Amino acid sequence: MELQFTDEERGFRAEVRDYLRTNIPDAIRAAVREERPLPREWMVEAQQILNRAGYAVPHWPVAWGGRDWSAVKRAILTEEIDRNAVPRPLAFNVALVGPVIAAFGSEEQKRRFLPAIANLDLWFCQGFSEPGAGSDLAALKTSAVREGDVYRVNGQKIWTTYAHKADWIFCLVRTDSSGRKQQGISFLLIDLATPGIEIRLIHTIDGYRHVNEVFFDNVAVPVDNLIGEEGRGWDYAKYLLGQERTSMGNVGFSRRRLEQVRVVASGTTGPCGRAIDSAAFRRRLTQAEIELKALEITQMRVVAADAKASHAPDPKTSILKIRGSELLQTAAELMLDALGPEALTGGFGMPDETDPHQGIDARSAPLSAYFSSRKFSIFGGSNEIQRNILAKAVLGLGARK
Ligand SMILES: Cc1cc2nc3c(=O)[nH]c(=O)nc-3n(C[C@H](O)[C@H](O)[C@H](O)COP(=O)(O)OP(=O)(O)OC[C@H]3O[C@@H](n4cnc5c(N)ncnc54)[C@H](O)[C@@H]3O)c2cc1C
């Protein structure tokens, strides 16, 4: 297979890059580049700018704002967004709940939610994981019992990213416990302003505020907020997880980080001199750059195959998840080594101020980015689970006769 971009694809890349650099405010791009937490209003502003150009939901059905672009063009768009330090459109909205509503929601639900989801006028978070139900998601226990026109929801979700910023949560809940654990799960949309919901922050080692516990105490949710059929939530969740897997390699993000590492390693003089003058450091950096190139080519192979695809996730996307997350972690590690002791006190060009929106000291961003990178091998299906998928689906291991 020939792996080359067409003239049209190269033109599209230039057009996207130009739009992003011209329209996304510099302050937002600087914050993304320096990996500082972004206030909600900046994320909304950036997504609305993308949405105006048709860049927020190109993979959706055309009737709801999709662009009918090839998988290759969509991959180019994501790469340029990452590479130019633009916040990605909120994944919970555009990559997860939006496609599920578009595929399984009623016409009324589509009209009510899809335009608001694309434009980030409504912010959704994802309520799947529970204590005791992460990798084994079907073990979830949060219950929804029908009482007339409402479901009464009781239980707890955990690790809910941005629940504190969100307006709504999409949840997997148990509406029936009688059959196999994958049965009796339903997909509910819940307004977070409903009485009986409590959101509690989880403190993470990176110092950012991003994950929470969400408690439901007898919460009344209109049955109109059920997506599709009661008891078919597991099928919808599998559909959801099959969406846009090809961006999991985070190639543009890693490239940006590695480019920064090179700049910092060449400019920062620590007690032992510049990191770039060390042969051992150069070898590690070059190795990471080579691995990134290999990942990029693998990603384009998967994307090219995805062009013909159904909605079943290609098991090879697990390779992208594993290598992509490992490379992000390596790049964060190299940045700390490039900065040396400065990583603890200053970092590269960080404003000497406390972010008013998040209460985190912005000067510690490289260190926070290092700790924060640990999460990439856990969420979205941990790397161990991805290896299980590869062993079974690609290598054919583990099947019992
Ligand atoms: C920063 C962050 C943000 C998150 N955001 C969200 C969110 O917004 N919404 C949401 O619903 N969830 C979210 N999650 C939860 C995430 O999806 C789960 O953490 C993940 O699925 C792992 O589940 P667990 O934490 O229960 O770990 P467990 O499933 O208990 O796993 C513990 C360890 O055992 C390993 N393991 C488990 N089963 C197997 C197996 N069969 N074979 C080999 N190894 C195995 C795992 O890889 C892991 O190392 C987030 C997690 C993090 C860290």
Side-chain angles (χ1 to χ4, degrees), residues 3-263:
L3 283 165
Q4 254 184 14
F5 293 109
T6 62
D7 286 345
E8 196 219 331
E9 285 159 356
R10 275 193 288 269
F12 175 72
R13 187 186 287 280
E15 194 183 296
V16 170
R17 190 173 297 173
D18 184 51
Y19 181 84
L20 300 178
R21 291 184 182 174
T22 313
N23 290 284
I24 304 286
D26 286 344
I28 297 182
R29 292 180 59 215
V32 174
R33 196 173 304 111
E34 291 160 9
E35 301 196 25
R36 281 184 275 135
L38 260 62
R40 177 185 154 122
E41 57 269 31
W42 282 8
M43 290 177 73
V44 172
E45 184 180 347
Q47 180 153 332
Q48 294 185 342
I49 293 169
L50 294 177
N51 198 32
R52 276 205 288 282
Y55 292 167
V57 291
H59 53 295
W60 284 16
V62 173
W64 296 105
R67 300 303 288 260
D68 206 17
W69 286 338
S70 67
V72 175
K73 273 173 95 168
R74 295 204 305 266
I76 291 172
L77 173 65
T78 306
E79 206 186 318
E80 287 304 315
I81 285 176
D82 286 352
R83 193 150 184 208
N84 288 288
V86 171
R88 279 193 193 181
L90 186 73
F92 303 114
N93 276 31
V94 306
L96 302 181
V97 74
V100 169
I101 296 175
F104 306 107
S106 64
E107 281 310 305
E108 161 58 20
Q109 287 169 335
K110 288 178 198 176
R111 269 196 304 274
R112 180 174 175 201
F113 289 110
L114 289 179
I117 286 175
N119 208 41
L120 202 45
D121 296 328
L122 265 191
W123 184 308
F124 268 90
C125 60
Q126 178 184 18
F128 279 16
S129 305
E130 297 181 5
S135 304
D136 183 15
L137 186 56
L140 64 93
K141 290 199 170 72
T142 295
S143 68
V145 177
R146 181 133 184 201
E147 277 178 18
D149 289 344
V150 297
Y151 286 103
R152 286 278 165 200
V153 178
N154 283 286
Q156 185 200 341
K157 297 292 174 182
I158 196 168
W159 307 121
T160 321
T161 302
Y162 296 148
H164 59 297
K165 294 187 177 188
D167 306 300
W168 282 65
I169 183 168
F170 59 94
C171 277
L172 290 181
V173 291
R174 188 159 291 290
T175 40
D176 183 3
S177 311
S178 58
R180 281 175 54 234
K181 61 182 178 179
Q182 285 80 4
Q183 294 165 341
I185 292 175
S186 299
F187 196 106
L188 267 190
L189 309 182
I190 304 177
D191 183 344
L192 283 168
T194 318
I197 297 179
E198 191 192 341
I199 296 169
R200 282 190 212 153
L201 167 71
I202 300 174
H203 290 274
T204 47
I205 195 171
D206 54 16
Y208 297 153
R209 174 170 191 183
H210 51 139
V211 285
N212 302 274
E213 294 176 287
V214 182
F215 295 88
F216 299 87
D217 180 11
N218 236 10
V219 177
V221 180
V223 287
D224 287 349
N225 294 359
L226 175 76
I227 297 296
E229 292 171 41
E230 192 178 287
R232 291 210 39 214
W234 190 249
D235 295 337
Y236 308 149
K238 279 198 296 189
Y239 175 88
L240 171 150
L241 296 171
Q243 297 292 314
E244 290 296 283
R245 308 282 280 180
T246 45
S247 56
M248 285 171 89
N250 284 307
V251 167
F253 186 7
S254 278
R255 178 169 301 123
R256 201 178 72 227
R257 269 194 175 173
L258 287 175
E259 283 169 359
Q260 281 174 339
V261 169
R262 218 168 239 293
V263 171

